[in-house]
PDB file of all heavy atoms in Angstrom:
ATOM      1  N   TYR E 838      56.351 165.921 179.662  1.00  0.00           N
ATOM      2  CA  TYR E 838      57.493 166.008 178.816  1.00  0.00           C
ATOM      3  C   TYR E 838      58.696 165.378 179.467  1.00  0.00           C
ATOM      4  O   TYR E 838      59.378 164.438 178.953  1.00  0.00           O
ATOM      5  CB  TYR E 838      57.822 167.394 178.326  1.00  0.00           C
ATOM      6  CG  TYR E 838      59.200 167.548 177.602  1.00  0.00           C
ATOM      7  CD1 TYR E 838      59.237 167.303 176.248  1.00  0.00           C
ATOM      8  CD2 TYR E 838      60.312 167.921 178.228  1.00  0.00           C
ATOM      9  CE1 TYR E 838      60.356 167.370 175.556  1.00  0.00           C
ATOM     10  CE2 TYR E 838      61.533 168.026 177.503  1.00  0.00           C
ATOM     11  CZ  TYR E 838      61.525 167.803 176.214  1.00  0.00           C
ATOM     12  OH  TYR E 838      62.753 167.978 175.477  1.00  0.00           O
ATOM     13  N   THR E 839      58.924 165.761 180.717  1.00  0.00           N
ATOM     14  CA  THR E 839      60.032 165.163 181.387  1.00  0.00           C
ATOM     15  C   THR E 839      59.812 163.722 181.653  1.00  0.00           C
ATOM     16  O   THR E 839      60.718 162.859 181.579  1.00  0.00           O
ATOM     17  CB  THR E 839      60.163 165.839 182.817  1.00  0.00           C
ATOM     18  OG1 THR E 839      60.274 167.325 182.594  1.00  0.00           O
ATOM     19  CG2 THR E 839      61.397 165.480 183.543  1.00  0.00           C
ATOM     20  N   GLY E 840      58.539 163.360 181.774  1.00  0.00           N
ATOM     21  CA  GLY E 840      58.196 161.935 182.019  1.00  0.00           C
ATOM     22  C   GLY E 840      58.544 161.039 180.843  1.00  0.00           C
ATOM     23  O   GLY E 840      58.801 159.879 180.948  1.00  0.00           O
ATOM     24  N   LEU E 841      58.642 161.599 179.670  1.00  0.00           N
ATOM     25  CA  LEU E 841      59.009 160.909 178.424  1.00  0.00           C
ATOM     26  C   LEU E 841      60.381 160.241 178.562  1.00  0.00           C
ATOM     27  O   LEU E 841      60.665 159.271 178.024  1.00  0.00           O
ATOM     28  CB  LEU E 841      58.958 161.758 177.108  1.00  0.00           C
ATOM     29  CG  LEU E 841      57.680 162.262 176.716  1.00  0.00           C
ATOM     30  CD1 LEU E 841      57.803 163.285 175.633  1.00  0.00           C
ATOM     31  CD2 LEU E 841      56.827 161.111 176.201  1.00  0.00           C
ATOM     32  N   TRP E 842      61.208 160.975 179.354  1.00  0.00           N
ATOM     33  CA  TRP E 842      62.663 160.499 179.479  1.00  0.00           C
ATOM     34  C   TRP E 842      62.939 159.704 180.645  1.00  0.00           C
ATOM     35  O   TRP E 842      64.035 159.191 180.830  1.00  0.00           O
ATOM     36  CB  TRP E 842      63.551 161.687 179.333  1.00  0.00           C
ATOM     37  CG  TRP E 842      63.000 162.662 178.332  1.00  0.00           C
ATOM     38  CD1 TRP E 842      62.657 164.001 178.577  1.00  0.00           C
ATOM     39  CD2 TRP E 842      62.849 162.491 176.961  1.00  0.00           C
ATOM     40  NE1 TRP E 842      62.193 164.613 177.397  1.00  0.00           N
ATOM     41  CE2 TRP E 842      62.282 163.650 176.388  1.00  0.00           C
ATOM     42  CE3 TRP E 842      63.029 161.388 176.068  1.00  0.00           C
ATOM     43  CZ2 TRP E 842      61.942 163.767 174.973  1.00  0.00           C
ATOM     44  CZ3 TRP E 842      62.682 161.489 174.775  1.00  0.00           C
ATOM     45  CH2 TRP E 842      62.201 162.718 174.251  1.00  0.00           C
ATOM     46  N   ASN E 843      61.958 159.657 181.647  1.00  0.00           N
ATOM     47  CA  ASN E 843      62.270 158.843 182.776  1.00  0.00           C
ATOM     48  C   ASN E 843      61.272 157.707 182.952  1.00  0.00           C
ATOM     49  O   ASN E 843      61.225 157.033 183.969  1.00  0.00           O
ATOM     50  CB  ASN E 843      62.331 159.711 184.047  1.00  0.00           C
ATOM     51  CG  ASN E 843      60.991 160.421 184.385  1.00  0.00           C
ATOM     52  OD1 ASN E 843      60.011 159.929 183.904  1.00  0.00           O
ATOM     53  ND2 ASN E 843      61.020 161.444 185.094  1.00  0.00           N
ATOM     54  N   GLY E 844      60.488 157.518 181.932  1.00  0.00           N
ATOM     55  CA  GLY E 844      59.652 156.340 181.888  1.00  0.00           C
ATOM     56  C   GLY E 844      58.242 156.573 182.414  1.00  0.00           C
ATOM     57  O   GLY E 844      57.328 155.677 182.463  1.00  0.00           O
ATOM     58  N   SER E 845      57.994 157.820 183.093  1.00  0.00           N
ATOM     59  CA  SER E 845      56.735 157.986 183.747  1.00  0.00           C
ATOM     60  C   SER E 845      55.622 158.388 182.749  1.00  0.00           C
ATOM     61  O   SER E 845      54.390 158.291 183.063  1.00  0.00           O
ATOM     62  CB  SER E 845      56.814 158.930 184.854  1.00  0.00           C
ATOM     63  OG  SER E 845      57.180 160.243 184.427  1.00  0.00           O
ATOM     64  N   THR E 846      55.917 158.809 181.602  1.00  0.00           N
ATOM     65  CA  THR E 846      55.040 159.124 180.546  1.00  0.00           C
ATOM     66  C   THR E 846      55.017 158.004 179.474  1.00  0.00           C
ATOM     67  O   THR E 846      56.091 157.625 178.999  1.00  0.00           O
ATOM     68  CB  THR E 846      55.236 160.507 179.919  1.00  0.00           C
ATOM     69  OG1 THR E 846      55.273 161.520 180.853  1.00  0.00           O
ATOM     70  CG2 THR E 846      54.166 160.778 178.874  1.00  0.00           C
ATOM     71  N   ASP E 847      53.895 157.426 179.254  1.00  0.00           N
ATOM     72  CA  ASP E 847      53.825 156.287 178.283  1.00  0.00           C
ATOM     73  C   ASP E 847      53.821 156.941 176.866  1.00  0.00           C
ATOM     74  O   ASP E 847      52.929 157.676 176.489  1.00  0.00           O
ATOM     75  CB  ASP E 847      52.660 155.506 178.556  1.00  0.00           C
ATOM     76  CG  ASP E 847      52.464 154.291 177.589  1.00  0.00           C
ATOM     77  OD1 ASP E 847      53.438 154.105 176.843  1.00  0.00           O
ATOM     78  OD2 ASP E 847      51.444 153.589 177.753  1.00  0.00           O
ATOM     79  N   TRP E 848      54.793 156.464 176.078  1.00  0.00           N
ATOM     80  CA  TRP E 848      54.850 156.981 174.738  1.00  0.00           C
ATOM     81  C   TRP E 848      53.618 156.541 173.880  1.00  0.00           C
ATOM     82  O   TRP E 848      53.377 157.180 172.930  1.00  0.00           O
ATOM     83  CB  TRP E 848      56.143 156.387 174.000  1.00  0.00           C
ATOM     84  CG  TRP E 848      57.275 157.229 174.325  1.00  0.00           C
ATOM     85  CD1 TRP E 848      58.159 157.056 175.393  1.00  0.00           C
ATOM     86  CD2 TRP E 848      57.769 158.331 173.529  1.00  0.00           C
ATOM     87  NE1 TRP E 848      59.156 158.054 175.286  1.00  0.00           N
ATOM     88  CE2 TRP E 848      58.896 158.846 174.179  1.00  0.00           C
ATOM     89  CE3 TRP E 848      57.349 158.968 172.375  1.00  0.00           C
ATOM     90  CZ2 TRP E 848      59.653 159.950 173.724  1.00  0.00           C
ATOM     91  CZ3 TRP E 848      58.042 160.084 171.879  1.00  0.00           C
ATOM     92  CH2 TRP E 848      59.187 160.563 172.513  1.00  0.00           C
ATOM     93  N   LYS E 849      52.934 155.383 174.329  1.00  0.00           N
ATOM     94  CA  LYS E 849      51.802 154.947 173.525  1.00  0.00           C
ATOM     95  C   LYS E 849      50.495 155.479 173.983  1.00  0.00           C
ATOM     96  O   LYS E 849      49.436 155.090 173.526  1.00  0.00           O
ATOM     97  CB  LYS E 849      51.868 153.407 173.526  1.00  0.00           C
ATOM     98  CG  LYS E 849      53.070 152.895 172.713  1.00  0.00           C
ATOM     99  CD  LYS E 849      53.019 151.395 172.572  1.00  0.00           C
ATOM    100  CE  LYS E 849      53.912 150.792 173.567  1.00  0.00           C
ATOM    101  NZ  LYS E 849      54.157 149.377 173.414  1.00  0.00           N
TER     102      LYS E 849
END
Side-chain angles (χ1 to χ4, degrees):
Chain E
Y838 171 81
T839 309
L841 290 170
W842 319 118
N843 62 22
S845 64
T846 304
D847 181 5
W848 276 88
K849 291 184 262 187

